[in-house]
Amino acid sequence: MSDRFKNILKKFLIWKYQHLSDKQFIYISSAVIGLLAGLGAVILKNLTHFIQHLLEGEFINDIHIAFYFIFPIIGLFLVRMIKRYVIRKKVGHGIPSTLFAISKLKGILPSHQMWSSIITAPLTVGFGGSVGLEGPTVATGAALGSNFARLMHLNQTTRTLLIGAAAAGAMSSIFKAPIAAIVFAVEIFSLELTLASMVPLLLASITAVLTSYFFLGNDVLLHFNLQDKFVLNDVLFYILLGVFSAIISIYFSKVYSTIGEFFRNFKGAHKRLLFGGILLGVMVFLVPPLFGEGYSTINHILKGNVSEIVSNNFFHIEVDNILLILVFLFGLILLKVIATSLTFGAGGVGGVFAPTLFTGSITGYFFALVINNSFLFDRELSSTNFAMVGMAGLMAGVLQAPLTAIFLIAEITGGYELFVPLMIVASISFLISRYYLPHNIYATELAEKGQLITHDKDKNVLMLMDIDKVIETNFIVLRPDMDLGDIIQNAVIKSSRNHFPVVNNNGEFLGILMLDDIRSIMFEQKLYKKLKASSLMQTAPAIIDYDKDSMEVIMEKFKETVAWNLPVIKDEKYYGFISKSRLLTSYRRKLINVTA
């Protein structure tokens, strides 16, 4: 940052403090962040479509369709080279990295996140990576919001709010659904929906959607015209669709988690790229609808034009063979999450939002097709309506964002004719999925580590606390072979503490020696050489593991043991102590900051 820029910024900040209230500046900042998030979404989308147009247009037709096999590997290789030689830093996975930054990094996102996804995500998706652009778009907007807040010296609470505003702006720009975008920010980022947060989210969402209209016109991502209205006789089938959506959601999440864990244990980035890229290339070659985000497939489904999907593949399925069509569609449901997971495992950058919509649309369409051709029911279901509602079912189950699912699909349809079936399917899918999957696909890994921000204010305060600020390390350490005389001369006299850790030569914690335990024999000099620290110490009521225990777990250990001080180990060695009084004081301070 140049001196000239610093001076300009300093003058602006002085002017801001003199002429604008905090609330006014937050409102202005939200609008600016919405504009930036909207521009980021437009750039990401246009770059991706430009690459896809080059590859899927005349180029691929003039050479050979077999190039579907090699494109994903080329894209993943380019992403790998850019990460290694241009960015030179880790590119986080969209929304999960943003959630981690909010919960553990005080809302601070690295500056390279403002542009790294804009380069890597279009290469991943444009060359056939089976992931979406929504996650990278949200991550880009969130990084813009975070760094803008840091530049303007805004506090953590405001920084988090601007990150949420950026997320709302990104989603609003992508789908042209400003209301659903606000609900998305609240559900996924666990923001409190108050007037103080509502107005910034609204401003960011409006600004972003206007930006999208300005650059992209009236073009929308999903094309759907409601032809069949909801009728009461279909309620039973929508209930069954909700159950079926939940089953597919659980499958989606489990497979995604399992393959992700497999690749995390896979040594060597180049080996991961080759293994994942080759498998992905084979899948895309055999089943071209798995290529890229899949919105063209979704739009064919929403128009009821299934022939374009089942005929354009290696198997050349006849459009009048309903059994083969059902098998192929069910295969797409099962294979999309595998292709998505392989893309991530091989090093691609993207999100799971589009794959969720892809799987949901086919799930709903497949379900309606099965009912219509089963001869068990005297009903002809609207396959396009069920496809649209199926997307809400998968969003509610996989993303565990039922309100976002309901409002997004309602806005996309241009009305609320399907509002009742949306509510039925989304609520059932969410409730069943939530029973088997405590957290959504974005948050599972963070939740296991106690690093997930939620709508539970007490848990949020504990999670936002910094363990390093409550650990005290200035204790005199005793050895187990020290006698009572050494303890009094070298520890008790020199310290104001009333407890001392006993640690062996390898740094391993053995126990605690309390001043109360030796107070009655402190002046018995005949015992000075006879009694050792190992015989005078007591076992700690509980031990805090620096690397594993979250603040919630630490607080629970104090509650269970009724102790005032507990030892901390780090890397299996003694590190320090946490006192209950220091912990509660830190909790109260953080609570004031969070609720201010």
Side-chain angles (χ1 to χ4, degrees):
M1 190 182 295
S2 65
D3 292 336
R4 184 179 180 183
F5 181 78
K6 288 180 179 178
N7 290 331
I8 294 173
L9 178 61
K10 184 178 179 181
K11 291 179 181 178
F12 173 77
L13 291 175
I14 293 172
W15 177 87
K16 175 180 80 75
Y17 290 132
Q18 291 175 343
H19 296 88
L20 295 174
S21 66
D22 290 340
K23 185 181 293 186
Q24 288 173 329
F25 187 70
I26 290 173
Y27 291 166
I28 295 171
S29 300
S30 300
V32 172
I33 294 302
L35 172 64
L36 295 175
L39 288 173
V42 169
I43 294 170
L44 268 164
K45 182 178 180 180
N46 284 340
L47 277 176
T48 304
H49 289 181
F50 175 72
I51 294 172
Q52 288 178 335
H53 177 72
L54 288 178
L55 299 182
E56 293 188 276
E58 296 180 0
F59 180 79
I60 195 169
N61 291 327
D62 291 345
I63 300 179
H64 199 275
I65 197 167
F67 267 75
Y68 268 119
F69 168 74
I70 200 68
F71 284 150
I73 301 175
I74 295 173
L76 292 168
F77 177 77
L78 292 174
V79 170
R80 168 69 179 158
M81 292 299 101
I82 290 171
K83 282 182 179 180
R84 185 170 182 178
Y85 297 108
V86 179
I87 302 172
R88 297 182 180 179
K89 293 176 183 177
K90 183 180 179 180
V91 180
H93 279 306
I95 294 172
S97 63
T98 305
L99 289 171
F100 177 77
I102 292 173
S103 62
K104 302 305 292 183
L105 303 178
K106 300 180 179 179
I108 297 174
L109 284 155
S111 56
H112 74 83
Q113 286 286 123
M114 293 188 291
W115 55 271
S116 56
S117 293
I118 292 178
I119 300 174
T120 54
L123 287 173
T124 301
V125 178
F127 277 86
S130 199
V131 290
L133 293 174
E134 292 79 12
T137 306
V138 171
T140 300
L144 289 166
S146 172
N147 284 277
F148 179 86
R150 289 175 65 190
L151 188 66
M152 295 299 151
H153 302 288
L154 302 176
N155 59 32
Q156 181 181 348
T157 303
T158 306
R159 192 158 54 236
T160 302
L161 179 58
L162 289 183
I163 289 174
M171 294 300 292
S172 178
S173 178
I174 293 169
F175 292 103
K176 290 187 170 72
I179 297 174
I182 294 172
V183 178
F184 170 82
V186 172
E187 279 195 300
I188 299 298
F189 294 98
S190 297
L191 298 176
E192 288 191 48
L193 193 58
T194 63
L195 185 61
S197 62
M198 173 60 81
V199 176
L201 293 175
L202 186 61
L203 289 171
S205 187
I206 292 170
T207 310
V209 76
L210 290 176
T211 304
S212 181
Y213 273 114
F214 180 81
F215 286 100
L216 303 176
N218 293 322
D219 183 37
V220 291
L221 204 56
L222 298 174
H223 302 274
F224 178 79
N225 291 316
L226 185 68
Q227 297 176 351
D228 303 299
K229 292 186 178 182
F230 165 70
V231 292
L232 191 61
N233 291 338
D234 288 343
V235 168
L236 173 63
F237 299 104
Y238 282 116
I239 292 172
L240 293 174
L241 176 61
V243 175
F244 185 51
S245 297
I247 294 170
I248 300 300
S249 297
I250 295 167
Y251 163 79
F252 191 108
S253 301
K254 293 288 187 182
V255 170
Y256 178 84
S257 177
T258 301
I259 296 178
E261 185 65 28
F262 169 78
F263 274 99
R264 281 192 288 273
N265 297 327
F266 207 99
K267 294 183 180 179
H270 290 296
K271 290 181 180 178
R272 287 196 296 269
L273 192 155
L274 286 173
F275 182 78
I278 290 173
L279 287 179
L280 177 63
V282 170
M283 291 179 67
V284 169
F285 169 68
L286 295 176
V287 189
L290 297 175
F291 188 95
E293 293 178 282
Y295 280 114
S296 60
T297 299
I298 296 174
N299 282 317
H300 283 308
I301 286 287
L302 296 180
K303 293 175 183 177
N305 188 13
V306 73
S307 61
E308 289 291 330
I309 301 170
V310 300
S311 60
N312 181 27
N313 59 76
F314 179 81
F315 307 102
H316 302 294
I317 298 172
E318 296 293 334
V319 294
D320 57 348
N321 192 326
I322 189 64
L323 182 60
L324 288 181
I325 289 175
L326 288 173
V327 171
F328 183 78
L329 291 177
F330 192 67
L332 284 180
I333 294 172
L334 299 181
L335 291 176
K336 183 61 177 181
V337 64
I338 298 175
T340 298
S341 303
L342 289 173
T343 305
F344 283 127
V349 176
V352 297
F353 203 99
T356 301
L357 294 179
F358 178 97
T359 308
S361 65
I362 297 176
T363 297
Y365 192 90
F366 170 84
F367 177 86
L369 223 55
V370 168
I371 298 298
N372 291 342
N373 291 276
S374 64
F375 306 110
L376 297 176
F377 303 96
D378 187 22
R379 287 291 300 162
E380 183 73 19
L381 302 181
S382 171
S383 56
T384 55
N385 280 8
F386 272 74
M388 181 60 81
V389 176
M391 289 196 287
L394 263 289
M395 286 176 62
V398 175
L399 309 182
Q400 294 193 2
L403 293 177
T404 301
I406 293 167
F407 282 100
L408 178 63
I409 304 305
E411 282 193 272
I412 289 174
T413 60
Y416 293 89
E417 292 286 348
L418 296 178
F419 207 72
V420 172
L422 286 171
M423 293 174 67
I424 293 171
V425 174
S427 58
I428 292 174
S429 179
F430 170 74
L431 290 172
I432 296 175
S433 300
R434 188 62 177 264
Y435 180 80
Y436 292 98
L437 303 167
H439 303 283
N440 65 38
I441 202 167
Y442 298 129
T444 299
E445 189 176 345
L446 294 176
E448 290 173 354
K449 298 177 181 178
Q451 298 171 343
L452 176 65
I453 193 164
T454 69
H455 285 284
D456 188 321
K457 188 178 293 183
D458 289 331
K459 288 185 178 181
N460 289 347
V461 172
L462 287 170
M463 187 210 36
L464 293 170
M465 289 169 62
D466 188 350
I467 189 173
D468 291 311
K469 292 185 178 180
V470 295
I471 296 177
E472 299 176 84
T473 57
N474 57 338
F475 288 85
I476 296 176
V477 176
L478 305 181
R479 300 298 176 193
D481 57 351
M482 289 179 66
D483 57 40
L484 179 59
D486 290 336
I487 293 170
I488 293 171
Q489 290 295 322
N490 298 316
V492 176
I493 293 176
K494 296 180 179 180
S495 175
S496 59
R497 303 284 187 177
N498 61 3
H499 58 282
F500 305 91
V502 181
V503 179
N504 66 17
N505 293 330
N506 294 324
E508 297 171 344
F509 177 81
L510 301 177
I512 305 172
L513 191 146
M514 305 294 295
L515 189 59
D516 288 344
D517 294 336
I518 62 172
R519 197 181 302 277
S520 61
I521 58 173
M522 283 177 58
F523 302 105
E524 297 287 341
Q525 296 189 8
K526 61 183 180 181
L527 300 176
Y528 278 14
K529 297 296 183 181
K530 295 181 179 180
L531 299 177
K532 303 291 185 181
S534 57
S535 63
L536 295 169
M537 71 181 187
Q538 58 180 269
T539 305
I543 295 176
I544 295 168
D545 192 320
Y546 181 93
D547 301 306
K548 297 180 181 178
D549 291 347
S550 64
M551 293 303 294
E552 187 178 356
V553 172
I554 293 170
M555 189 70 83
E556 191 62 31
K557 286 185 176 182
F558 274 102
K559 181 180 177 181
E560 291 175 353
T561 61
V562 200
W564 279 100
N565 295 277
L566 289 177
V568 181
I569 61 168
K570 185 178 182 181
D571 299 325
E572 299 184 352
K573 295 182 179 180
Y574 164 76
Y575 185 63
F577 275 86
I578 293 179
S579 69
K580 182 185 287 187
S581 59
R582 193 180 182 96
L583 184 65
L584 293 176
T585 300
S586 178
Y587 174 84
R588 284 193 293 269
R589 289 174 179 170
K590 181 60 70 174
L591 180 63
I592 292 170
N593 290 335
V594 169
T595 57

